[in-house]
C-alpha cells in the first residue's frame, strides 16, 4: 500500500529514514510550502509536528513514533523498534558509524 502525504501550510514536513526505494516529492506551491510525496511514501517516516528549536531530536521522535504505533513511549520495545527502523534506513558506512554514537549520547539520557 502506498501512502501519500501532503502538507499544505508554512509548517515543515520532515521526511526521513527512507528504507527501500526513496520517496519522490514535489513542490506543488512554493509560496505556501505545499509539498506532496507522490511515490514510495510507505518507505519513509514523515514528521509533521512543529520542530523544537533543537530540530528533530531522539527525545521527540520516541513519543511521536509511539503515538503513531499506538505503543507506550517508555516501553523499551518501542525504543528498540524505532532504533531498528532508523538503522534499517542507513545508506552508507559513515551513517552506520555515526548512528550508534548519536543514540548512545542522546538516546539514553533524553538530551537534545
Amino acid at each position: 500500500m502506498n501512502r501519500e502525504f501532503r502538507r499544505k501550510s508554512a509548517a515543515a514536513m520532515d521526511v526521513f529514514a527512507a528504507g527501500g526505494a526513496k520517496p519522490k516529492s514535489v513542490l506543488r506551491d512554493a509560496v505556501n510550502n505545499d509539498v506532496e510525496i507522490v511515490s514510495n511514501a510507505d518507505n519513509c517516516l514523515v514528521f509533521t509536528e512543529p520542530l523544537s528549536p533543537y530540530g528533530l531530536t531522539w527525545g521527540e521522535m520516541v513519543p511521536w513514533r509511539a503515538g503513531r504505533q499506538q505503543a507506550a513511549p517508555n516501553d523499551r520495545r518501542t525504543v528498540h523498534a524505532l532504533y531498528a527502523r532508523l538503522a534499517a534506513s542507513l545508506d552508507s558506512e559513515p551513517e552506520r558509524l555515526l548512528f550508534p554514537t548519536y543514540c548512545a549520547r542522546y538516546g539514553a539520557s533524553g538530551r537534545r
Side-chain angles (χ1 to χ4, degrees), residues 18 22 87-96:
K22 303 298 182 197
S89 73
L90 302 177
D91 202 27
S92 69
E93 191 59 27
E95 289 176 347
R96 286 187 282 277

Side-chain angles (χ1 to χ4, degrees), residues 85-107:
R85 174 63 179 85
L86 295 174
S89 73
L90 302 177
D91 202 27
S92 69
E93 191 59 27
E95 289 176 347
R96 286 187 282 277
L97 290 171
L98 177 64
F99 184 67
T101 304
Y102 169 84
C103 290
R105 178 170 177 150
Y106 296 107

Side-chain angles (χ1 to χ4, degrees), residues 61-93:
M61 280 190 284
V62 171
W64 167 78
R65 184 67 173 166
R68 298 199 36 101
Q69 298 294 310
Q70 299 178 345
N74 56 352
D75 186 336
R76 291 188 67 77
R77 291 175 294 186
T78 302
V79 174
H80 287 280
L82 177 59
Y83 183 95
R85 174 63 179 85
L86 295 174
S89 73
L90 302 177
D91 202 27
S92 69
E93 191 59 27

Side-chain angles (χ1 to χ4, degrees), residues 2-44:
N2 193 23
R3 301 172 304 176
E4 286 189 6
F5 284 93
R6 190 165 186 169
R7 180 70 170 192
K8 187 171 184 174
S9 75
M13 177 173 77
D14 296 289
V15 179
F16 65 103
K22 303 298 182 197
K24 179 180 178 184
S25 60
V26 294
L27 183 61
R28 297 284 183 206
D29 180 350
V31 173
N32 294 309
N33 196 29
D34 185 0
V35 178
E36 181 179 0
I37 299 174
V38 294
S39 66
N40 301 318
D42 53 335
N43 293 339
C44 63

